[in-house]
Amino acid sequence: MRLGVNIDHIATLREARRGKLPDPVAAAIAAEMAGADGIVCHLREDRRHIKDKDLFLLKEIVKTHLNLEMAATDEMVSLATEVVPDMVTLVPENREEVTTEGGLDVLSNTDWIEDVVRQLRSHNIVVSLFVDPAIEQIKAAAKLNADYVEIHTGLYANAGDLGDVMDELEKIRSIAMAAAKLGLGVSAGHGLDYHNVRDILDIEQIEELNIGHSIVAKAAMIGMERAVRELLQIIRR
Ligand code: PXP
């Protein structure tokens, strides 16, 4: 299974001071050096973390695979066809949300999404649709000629009791099988961490996981001790 590392929240930290650090582009290089199979970033309409400049720089420096998450708007399609990342993942976007809240409703936006998929594919961009684990969405994605579906794992990740966790896991498993049968590539992501990822690994149709927040959170924690020690060395020289 491939790992796509989402670096959005390195940029979130940078934007806390509207400065230059930490740099999501440097984080992408570090992730690739650690063996990541790809880099993922979400350019939001409000540019709250990743900026256009980051995207252009990522296109230059990413050596593995660049997956751009974006809403299916004219502005984003025009940017994507200019930058030409390896893959575009279409996601729903709502200004007020803290993070992506659910999958794209492929069924009620069929004509528009089909047109966006066609435009992106005509620029040799592989197109993935981020969808909830629901069979109608997967069938619609296949009809629109998407290359991949990314199964939204948020409900699984946030499920409270074990019964709900198992139910959500089974939904993801059967949807992954259905998607692969329809000829779609299958990836999964949202809310995955160092614990809940384990059961997902058994689903053989899932080719790729896209994970961000838990990696950035872990990086901050395991780097904390070293960061404090380095500053103390300078202060107590
Ligand atoms: N996949 C998609 C489509 C997303 O929108 C996100 C969040 O930006 C992720 C994966 C990664 O989610 P998380 O940051 O919770 O790992």
Side-chain angles (χ1 to χ4, degrees), residues 100-229:
T100 312
E101 284 167 348
L104 200 62
D105 186 359
V106 187
L107 288 170
S108 52
N109 299 293
T110 316
D111 290 347
W112 175 238
I113 296 174
E114 187 170 27
D115 188 44
V116 169
V117 171
R118 195 180 312 113
Q119 288 185 61
L120 294 169
R121 292 189 82 205
S122 73
H123 284 77
N124 290 325
I125 300 170
V126 175
V127 181
S128 179
L129 305 183
F130 181 60
V131 290
D132 288 330
I135 190 68
E136 326 79 69
Q137 298 292 342
I138 302 290
K139 283 184 180 161
K143 264 200 195 138
L144 300 190
N145 272 331
D147 301 288
Y148 272 76
V149 281
E150 177 173 338
I151 302 175
H152 178 220
T153 50
L155 284 177
Y156 159 73
N158 293 329
D161 65 65
L162 192 59
D164 290 347
V165 173
M166 293 328 266
D167 286 351
E168 292 300 329
L169 186 64
E170 284 322 305
K171 264 193 222 164
I172 295 169
R173 191 190 309 281
S174 67
I175 286 300
M177 282 169 64
K181 263 198 193 143
L182 287 167
L184 290 158
V186 186
S187 59
H190 210 277
L192 295 178
D193 62 27
Y194 293 70
H195 301 286
N196 64 23
V197 74
R198 291 167 204 267
D199 286 333
I200 296 285
L201 300 178
D202 294 333
I203 306 176
E204 61 184 77
Q205 289 80 12
I206 298 180
E207 300 164 35
E208 184 174 290
L209 298 175
N210 293 318
I211 306 183
H213 185 267
S214 63
I215 298 175
V216 175
K218 179 76 128 188
M221 291 317 295
I222 63 180
M224 189 56 134
E225 205 180 315
R226 184 168 156 197
V228 172
R229 224 182 269 125

